[in-house]
């Protein structure tokens, strides 16, 4: 392993991460050797992975939105990534969701404790439409799109995920932000009984993230409610999360309960935890190293080469169409 990658991204040591990933891949290997992991195999692929609480044909929840794992109809789009999607079990089995713990396998193990129905999202701040919205009134489930995006974590790994969701601007326009709204902040659900990781001070809770309004309104930015043709599993941020494909993964907010329009730049969870290492913008940038490791390349999770296949990281994660959002900005200073 590369010496420069020895040091710890985020909390756990990279060695721990590699170990858990190796265990994860070994389990996949054993399962596939035993014939349990065929192309169509979805449920119970991993012992450590919580199974969807409902079958893929599950009806809507009491809250009126699809339960985790329920099949979703979505319009295919041209957003694709060469090589295709990461194996689904890697996406649902190898997660960052510190509310459930800091290891990659804690969210799959513990997220089942979280209640995701009914689900309300409170809209506040610089808006003419404040209030508490039921999820089904916020997201038009008849207009879902599937978009395959690369998903690049600041820890220098990546996946390719077929998200299901709607462009964020289609929702924000309904929420009537005032002209004074220059930023939007998202806040994750917080319940200490359901989220064992929140009893530790790994981050300040609740998890908050934010975007400039023009970033939020860019057509690439999504509110996702699903992936792999199904409603999101809890460990991936059910029932509602953001997806900003040109930014590091931590800019995405899982299990959103609050949308707050603001006149000034909001605080964000990782920036509050370590401002030297995690800026507000956090655009994927191979030329700006993290203080403790290079961002020039990434490990491809669930790739053909196993856990240590690498690829070169691309500027804006390959989404060059966002470059104009940052015209005139020094992206080294505004990391
Ligand atoms: N509430 C919350 N949202 C979060 C996180 C978290 O710990 N808590 N982790 C972030 C990080 S670091 C990444 S890489 C992505 C991971 O999403 P995934 O597990 O669905 O791949 O979620 C982001 N959103
Ligand atoms: Mo991440």
């Amino acid at each position: 392993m590369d010496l420069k990658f020895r040091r710890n991204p985020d909390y756990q040591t990279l060695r721990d991460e590699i170990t858990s990933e190796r265990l994860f891949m070994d389990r996949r290997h054993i399962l596939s050797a035993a014939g349990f992991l065929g192309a169509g195999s979805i449920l119970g692929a991993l012992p450590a992975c919580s199974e969807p609480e409902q079958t893929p044909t599950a009806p809507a929840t009491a809250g009126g939105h699809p339960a985790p794992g329920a099949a979703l109809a979505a319009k295919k789009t041209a957003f694709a990534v060469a090589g295709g999607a990461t194996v689904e079990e890697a996406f649902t089995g190898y997660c960052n969701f510190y509310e459930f713990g800091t290891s990659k396998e804690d969210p799959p193990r513990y997220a089942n404790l979280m209640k995701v129905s009914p689900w309300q999202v409170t809209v506040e701040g610089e808006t003419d439409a404040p209030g508490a919205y039921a999820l089904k009134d916020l997201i038009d489930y008849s207009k879902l799109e599937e978009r395959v995006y690369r998903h690049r974590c600041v820890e220098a790994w990546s996946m390719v995920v077929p998200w299901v969701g709607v462009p964020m601007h289609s929702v924000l326009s309904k929420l009537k932000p005032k002209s004074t709204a220059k930023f939007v902040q998202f806040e994750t659900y917080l319940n200490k009984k359901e989220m064992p990781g929140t009893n530790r001070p790994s981050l300040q809770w609740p998890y908050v993230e934010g975007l400039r309004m023009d970033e939020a309104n860019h057509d690439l930015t999504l509110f996702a409610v699903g992936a792999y043709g199904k409603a999101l599993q809890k460990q991936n941020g059910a029932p509602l999360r953001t997806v900003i494909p040109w930014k590091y993964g931590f800019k995405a907010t899982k299990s959103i309960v609050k949308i707050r329009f603001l006149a000034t730049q909001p605080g964000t969870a990782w920036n509050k935890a370590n401002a030297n290492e995690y800026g507000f913008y956090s655009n994927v940038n191979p030329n700006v190293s993290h203080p403790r490791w290079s961002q020039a390349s990434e490990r491809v999770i669930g790739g053909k080469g196993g856990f240590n296949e690498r690829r070169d990281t691309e500027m804006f994660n390959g989404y060059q169409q966002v470059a104009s959002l940052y015209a005139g900005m020094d992206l080294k200073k505004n990391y």
Side-chain angles (χ1 to χ4, degrees):
M1 189 175 65
D2 235 326
L3 267 183
K4 64 179 184 275
F5 286 100
R6 273 252 174 102
R7 285 285 189 78
N8 178 10
D10 302 349
Y11 275 85
Q12 47 187 151
T13 65
L14 187 59
R15 193 188 299 169
D16 285 348
E17 195 202 329
I18 299 268
T19 306
S20 92
E21 195 180 340
R22 185 180 283 137
L23 285 170
F24 173 80
M25 291 304 170
D26 282 355
R27 236 182 272 130
R28 276 187 50 75
H29 182 74
I30 291 161
L31 287 162
S32 68
F36 286 119
L37 208 74
S41 160
I42 290 153
L43 303 179
L46 286 169
C49 208
S50 58
E51 293 184 2
E53 64 170 10
Q54 310 278 346
T55 62
T57 50
T61 60
H65 58 268
L72 296 178
K75 193 182 79 181
K76 303 272 177 204
T77 64
F79 294 98
V81 175
T86 300
V87 61
E88 184 181 0
E89 291 84 353
F91 174 67
T92 58
Y94 186 86
C95 304
N96 277 329
F97 200 163
Y98 277 24
E99 285 86 335
F100 296 102
T102 54
S103 99
K104 295 291 181 287
E105 294 181 343
D106 286 334
R109 203 174 279 138
Y110 299 119
N112 248 334
L113 296 166
M114 175 170 64
K115 289 201 195 79
V116 296
S117 173
W119 193 268
Q120 282 199 329
V121 180
T122 303
V123 176
E124 58 186 40
E126 304 293 309
T127 164
D128 290 323
Y133 293 76
L135 180 59
K136 67 169 180 5
D137 298 329
L138 210 55
I139 300 294
D140 186 344
Y141 282 84
S142 72
K143 295 228 172 80
L144 298 178
E145 297 180 19
E146 178 172 89
R147 298 191 184 192
V148 183
Y149 285 162
R150 197 178 311 277
H151 172 30
R152 170 62 158 81
C153 177
V154 74
E155 297 164 333
W157 53 261
S158 69
M159 300 189 193
V160 174
V161 181
W163 300 105
V164 175
V166 295
M168 184 178 282
H169 59 73
S170 70
V171 177
L172 295 190
S173 61
K174 288 193 283 190
L175 299 180
K176 304 196 169 89
K178 295 185 200 270
S179 61
T180 46
K182 302 296 179 210
F183 296 87
V184 56
Q185 187 183 41
F186 307 97
E187 186 175 306
T188 294
Y189 180 71
L190 175 59
N191 181 315
K192 298 214 163 195
K193 288 194 191 116
E194 298 173 16
M195 298 170 136
T198 59
N199 296 305
R200 290 195 218 135
S202 55
L203 290 170
Q204 275 179 50
W205 315 111
Y207 194 99
V208 284
E209 254 305 337
L211 297 169
R212 236 169 43 191
M213 281 302 280
D214 59 342
E215 296 177 315
N217 283 324
H218 193 280
D219 187 56
L220 284 171
T221 307
L222 302 180
F223 273 125
V225 295
Y228 296 86
K230 288 170 250 168
L232 286 169
Q233 298 299 341
K234 294 177 179 182
Q235 61 267 37
N236 295 114
L240 178 70
R241 68 176 286 166
T242 55
V243 176
I244 313 104
W246 70 94
K247 291 180 180 284
Y248 292 121
F250 69 84
K251 290 297 291 181
T253 312
K254 291 182 164 180
S255 305
I256 294 169
V257 292
K258 225 169 244 185
I259 300 173
R260 195 180 279 127
F261 293 103
L262 295 167
T264 54
Q265 186 174 300
T268 59
W270 279 99
N271 183 253
K272 289 194 241 177
N274 192 338
N276 279 336
E277 300 192 349
Y278 307 100
F280 177 78
Y281 284 95
S282 298
N283 294 315
V284 175
N285 188 339
N287 307 313
V288 177
S289 297
H290 185 280
R292 290 180 284 132
W293 61 89
S294 166
Q295 295 289 20
S297 69
E298 61 208 42
R299 283 184 299 125
V300 181
I301 301 291
K304 293 186 191 76
F307 68 90
N308 58 3
E309 183 187 340
R310 297 202 76 89
R311 67 184 300 279
D312 289 343
T313 292
E314 294 172 66
M315 187 64 209
F316 298 122
N317 208 20
Y319 299 96
Q320 297 294 341
Q321 61 267 55
V322 302
S324 60
L325 292 174
Y326 309 103
M329 277 175 66
D330 179 343
L331 296 179
K332 284 206 164 84
K333 267 195 201 135
N334 295 285
Y335 56 93

